[in-house]
Amino acid sequence: MNPESNPLKIDESPELSARVLSDISVSRPVLAFFAFAVAWLLIGTVFGLTASLKFNFPDWLGSFPALTFGRVRPAHLNAIMYGWVSLASAGCAIWLTVRLCQVEVRWRKLLYASVLLWNLGLLYGTISILTGNNQGLEWLEFPRGAAILIAVAFVCLSLSILRTFHARQVKHIYVSLWYIMASVVWFPLLYVIANLPFYSGVTQAAVNWWFAHNAITVWFTPIGLAAAYYFIPKVVGRPIYSYYLSLLGFWSFALFYNWNGIHHLVGGPLPTWLISVSIVASVLMFIPVITVAINHHLTTVGHFDKLRYSPTLRFVVFGAMCYTAVSFQGSIEALRSFSEISHFTHYTIGHAHLGMYAFVTMILFGAIYYTMPRLTKWEWPYPVLIKYHFWLVALGIGLYVGSMTIGGILQGLYMNDASRPFISSVEVTQPYLLARSLAGVLILIGHLIFIYLFSLMILRRGPERKAPPWQEEAEVIFP
Amino acid sequence: MMFIRLSTFFLGVLATFFLGWAGLTLIPGIQIREIKPSSELKPYTDEQFSGRAIYIREGCIYCHSQQTRPEGFGADQLRNWGRPSVPGDYVYDKPHLLGTMRTGPDLFNIGARQPSEDWHLIHLYNPRALSPGSLMPPYPWLFKEEDEFSKEVHAAMGKKVVPVPKGFAPEGKVIIATQEALDLVAYLLSLNHTYPVE
């Protein structure tokens, strides 16, 4: 048969045709999740840069209540966490589930309902924060109405994914699916329990930080890892190094990571045993992290050349390496002796961005670069712009984390030195805060390039190609 | 066989999650529930409570903590920020405002450290009028600008004129504190936990 007349290659192999059919079944909902995710990425980045500039020019836009630092900063966090990262992770989780179960997606209408409710919740929640209706709890700022919308949206997503998983046509359940199935059970429970109105005082502080850290534990990290576990072997073209390491990695992750949250309250007015438990669990995180790092590294080793042409691999490997880095950093940061300096400072902000940006966001970029051509049946135009995107955000986040790390440690040392006035701990951070804003500008430009490319993909514009634009480059490297 | 393995999987997923939940929130919740309010801690007045809502609305927690650390852990004791805070100090706090950031100083005892209402009003109107080098945002929407000639009239009408230093307010205007500003300052002044605890 002439391959030109059968571009989807149906009938050539049953596995391939199942894959194509499942890709088609899921393309619209996944595209919807990705498109809104990208919109929230832009909104969230602009909020973030605005908040950063306010440290450099505290009187800038000073007479607009909606744009004061204390409102823009939580708007940034929520737009990024519940907007960009959550929507992109949801799209990624649906696509991976369908791929790895080799079936068409089930209960697709629930996915459309999920996108709709999710965005309504985000819009209502973000406007609420900007207009002064903030619940007062970090990571739980959205008013109850917005939280309910998001919870229902998440349950819709979970039901569709679990139903698809139940209908799977494969015997072997790949490691990515463990993380996804655990995640879609965990997060709705977590979000609902944390939003219950029963708590007050220091108990509420414990619930608050159990939630905030567990949002990373049970939702952002598992999806990031599921994507890394899928895309690294996929692009490299060899199976994951060790199944048993994956098993150890998953269960030690599930067991220890759920106990980490209270290290956010080191030195605070909570029972000492409680904080100690979280510190111990944070240090035990070395086990799952090293396990995953070894597994990913030994899968990639010998194939690092492919980073040069595969944008997916470049973003995902960068993200996977940063997962190791941010987890090591987190384990050390939880220790009392280190926390004494780093707690209450910009160091923590740097750590948060190393996790949510350098790890999770970079992997999500990689996942989008891989899936989009399969969803739109259109190849990425302008590969050189993808390189600009990568280097702008990679340098941007490097500068961001570097400046916040050094600035934060200095801030902590000055703060803990009673012979210095408190204001010196503010003044010492200023050059680093300026560098942070510069990093924000680099990241924003990178995002604008990414959004331009993404829009071209949705509209199927740009040069028409028969193969990925980096294929020629790959053939030069691997003839 | 597959069914058993899958059930075990989801059972493990739920078990690990709820173990962490019980350990980090349920058990401490039960332990802390028996704690009584610190002896001299008073519930918030209506005015202080409204001010607390402004504190939340403007996102003060993103730069200010409300928890003092013990001796040997940071410099809180050496800076005279007050004795280490205990769970009993927070029983009336909903939502809690412990905070995780100190871009600005801890406010657990700001009412004792800076008891002047005028200082707080000027500082909220423009922090740099009193603290050069501060990165705190100004909150002009908590204030009204009115014509200067009516200063005495304002006072007679019971309005609070804020003594903003020259050069920090528009020429020929006086700055009047709104009820929101007065409530917020009432809340800040209520942050005084210098009473002893066991």
Side-chain angles (χ1 to χ4, degrees):
Chain A
M1 191 193 281
N2 175 6
E4 287 298 310
S5 65
N6 188 5
L8 298 181
K9 293 182 181 157
I10 291 177
D11 298 335
E12 273 187 17
S13 96
E15 201 188 318
L16 261 185
S17 63
R19 184 184 294 169
V20 170
L21 284 175
S22 54
D23 275 6
I24 290 171
S25 78
V26 86
S27 63
R28 276 170 187 271
V30 172
L31 275 176
F33 272 101
F34 282 168
F36 282 108
V38 168
W40 284 101
L41 176 67
L42 181 60
I43 296 169
T45 312
V46 171
F47 284 150
L49 184 56
T50 309
S52 180
L53 286 167
K54 292 208 162 235
F55 279 105
N56 316 126
F57 313 101
D59 289 302
W60 176 60
L61 300 175
S63 54
F64 299 99
L67 297 177
T68 192
F69 175 78
R71 301 191 194 185
V72 174
R73 182 205 183 279
H76 161 68
L77 183 137
N78 284 278
I80 292 293
M81 292 304 155
Y82 302 110
W84 153 247
V85 178
S86 287
L87 291 170
S89 296
C92 189
I94 301 162
W95 191 83
L96 286 174
T97 304
V98 163
R99 262 286 169 110
L100 291 166
C101 294
Q102 293 186 14
V103 283
E104 293 178 33
V105 72
R106 300 300 145 105
W107 293 350
R108 190 170 4 181
K109 282 184 184 147
L110 278 185
L111 294 178
Y112 292 126
S114 178
V115 176
L116 181 71
L117 294 173
W118 210 311
N119 279 287
L120 287 176
L122 282 166
L123 203 60
Y124 171 46
T126 308
I127 292 173
S128 295
I129 292 174
L130 293 178
T131 53
N133 183 11
N134 178 334
Q135 294 274 82
L137 299 166
E138 283 187 71
W139 290 74
L140 290 167
E141 285 92 349
F142 279 177
R144 187 143 304 136
I148 290 172
L149 284 168
I150 290 178
V152 174
F154 206 105
V155 170
C156 291
L157 171 77
S158 295
L159 289 175
S160 171
I161 286 184
L162 288 168
R163 183 71 187 82
T164 308
F165 176 68
H166 187 68
R168 70 194 173 280
Q169 293 293 323
V170 289
K171 280 219 171 92
H172 176 71
I173 300 172
Y174 185 63
V175 46
S176 298
L177 282 174
W178 312 343
Y179 282 98
I180 295 170
M181 295 313 134
S183 191
V184 297
V185 172
W186 279 334
F187 189 77
L189 286 171
L190 175 75
Y191 195 61
V192 170
I193 293 174
N195 271 295
L196 294 176
F198 308 143
Y199 322 105
S200 67
V202 287
T203 313
Q204 193 178 28
V207 175
N208 188 177
W209 286 105
W210 167 74
F211 169 78
H213 206 98
N214 265 32
I216 298 163
T217 304
V218 308
W219 173 226
F220 303 122
T221 306
I223 302 300
L225 289 180
Y229 265 116
Y230 181 79
F231 290 112
I232 292 177
K234 190 78 187 171
V235 178
V236 164
R238 71 198 310 199
I240 197 79
Y241 174 73
S242 163
Y243 172 80
Y244 291 99
L245 275 183
S246 325
L247 207 59
L248 174 67
F250 176 80
W251 286 110
S252 52
F253 174 93
L255 194 58
F256 302 141
Y257 213 175
N258 273 299
W259 289 80
N260 276 16
I262 313 301
H263 65 213
H264 286 270
L265 295 163
V266 172
L270 283 105
T272 317
W273 69 263
L274 180 59
I275 294 168
S276 303
V277 163
S278 268
I279 295 173
V280 171
S282 306
V283 175
L284 284 170
M285 279 303 290
F286 273 121
I287 296 170
V289 170
I290 292 174
T291 312
V292 170
I294 291 174
N295 219 354
H296 286 171
H297 181 77
L298 291 179
T299 308
T300 320
V301 77
H303 294 263
F304 281 101
D305 272 1
K306 291 182 180 166
L307 294 180
R308 271 197 276 164
Y309 74 89
S310 164
T312 298
L313 198 62
R314 195 183 309 153
F315 277 100
V316 172
V317 166
F318 184 98
M321 287 176 164
C322 289
Y323 172 65
T324 312
V326 74
S327 305
F328 277 31
Q329 188 193 25
S331 297
I332 292 162
E333 207 175 336
L335 299 173
R336 278 178 210 279
S337 50
F338 194 84
S339 191
E340 183 181 359
I341 298 164
S342 68
H343 192 40
F344 295 133
T345 74
H346 294 295
Y347 187 91
T348 314
I349 314 292
H351 173 65
H353 284 78
L354 184 58
M356 294 312 301
Y357 198 96
F359 160 43
V360 176
T361 293
M362 292 300 260
I363 285 189
L364 290 172
F365 283 142
I368 291 178
Y369 278 119
Y370 186 89
T371 47
M372 281 303 282
R374 288 152 179 89
L375 299 172
T376 60
K377 302 279 171 259
W378 193 254
E379 294 298 337
W380 287 99
Y382 316 125
V384 67
L385 286 184
I386 301 179
K387 284 188 178 160
Y388 288 154
H389 171 210
F390 177 82
W391 286 109
L392 278 165
V393 297
L395 288 173
I397 195 63
L399 180 60
Y400 190 111
V401 175
S403 59
M404 290 296 90
T405 300
I406 301 169
I409 286 176
L410 289 173
Q411 182 188 9
L413 290 174
Y414 279 42
M415 200 186 290
N416 290 349
D417 179 356
S419 67
R420 295 176 192 273
F422 182 83
I423 191 77
S424 71
S425 76
V426 177
E427 285 162 348
V428 73
T429 59
Q430 281 185 336
Y432 301 97
L433 292 169
L434 205 60
R436 190 256 296 265
S437 291
L438 178 65
V441 172
L442 293 178
I443 290 171
L444 177 63
I445 298 171
H447 289 174
L448 290 174
I449 292 173
F450 170 66
I451 291 164
Y452 172 68
L453 286 170
F454 185 88
S455 314
L456 290 180
M457 287 297 281
I458 292 251
L459 301 169
R460 295 163 61 99
R461 294 282 171 82
E464 194 171 351
R465 298 174 198 275
K466 290 241 159 30
W470 36 88
Q471 190 132 315
E472 288 166 29
E473 207 177 327
E475 277 161 8
V476 175
I477 304 170
F478 307 101
Chain B
M1 185 63 197
M2 194 62 180
F3 175 76
I4 295 169
R5 270 172 54 194
L6 258 190
S7 315
T8 320
F9 172 79
F10 281 108
L11 205 66
V13 161
L14 289 174
T16 48
F17 177 83
F18 279 109
L19 263 175
W21 168 77
L24 295 190
T25 71
L26 185 67
I27 296 169
I30 293 166
Q31 186 189 354
I32 292 164
R33 194 167 52 185
E34 286 157 18
I35 286 169
K36 293 191 174 61
S38 298
S39 54
E40 290 172 49
L41 182 74
K42 294 184 199 71
Y44 297 107
T45 65
D46 288 350
E47 197 185 21
Q48 290 162 359
F49 193 76
S50 308
R52 197 170 192 271
I54 313 277
Y55 186 97
I56 294 166
R57 182 183 83 188
E58 304 303 349
C60 305
I61 56 161
Y62 301 106
C63 291
H64 294 285
S65 59
Q66 290 188 22
Q67 47 173 315
T68 35
R69 295 163 129 188
E71 197 174 347
F73 199 73
D76 296 18
Q77 298 306 314
L78 296 170
R79 287 190 190 280
N80 286 320
W81 281 358
R83 60 161 175 84
S85 53
V86 295
D89 297 330
Y90 299 94
V91 284
Y92 302 119
D93 283 11
K94 187 174 183 169
H96 84 91
L97 299 174
L98 288 178
T100 49
M101 189 68 183
R102 285 183 179 172
T103 304
D106 183 81
L107 298 182
F108 192 58
N109 287 306
I110 189 64
R113 216 156 64 232
Q114 184 45 271
S116 158
E117 185 187 43
D118 280 351
W119 187 93
H120 282 292
L121 288 170
I122 300 168
H123 190 249
L124 287 168
Y125 179 73
N126 187 336
R128 277 153 295 285
L130 296 174
S131 313
S134 166
L135 299 182
M136 183 168 137
Y139 298 92
W141 54 92
L142 301 179
F143 300 86
K144 279 191 293 208
E145 290 174 4
E146 292 191 9
D147 292 332
E148 188 158 26
F149 62 85
S150 54
K151 203 172 196 168
E152 285 70 27
V153 183
H154 292 312
M157 285 168 69
K159 291 186 185 170
K160 174 67 191 168
V161 177
V162 184
V164 180
K166 242 184 150 35
F168 289 96
E171 276 300 306
K173 299 276 183 186
V174 286
I175 305 305
I176 308 290
T178 64
Q179 192 56 44
E180 288 191 342
L182 295 170
D183 289 349
L184 178 53
V185 172
Y187 171 62
L188 292 174
L189 295 180
S190 82
L191 292 176
N192 182 346
H193 304 85
T194 47
Y195 50 78
V197 291
E198 285 143 38

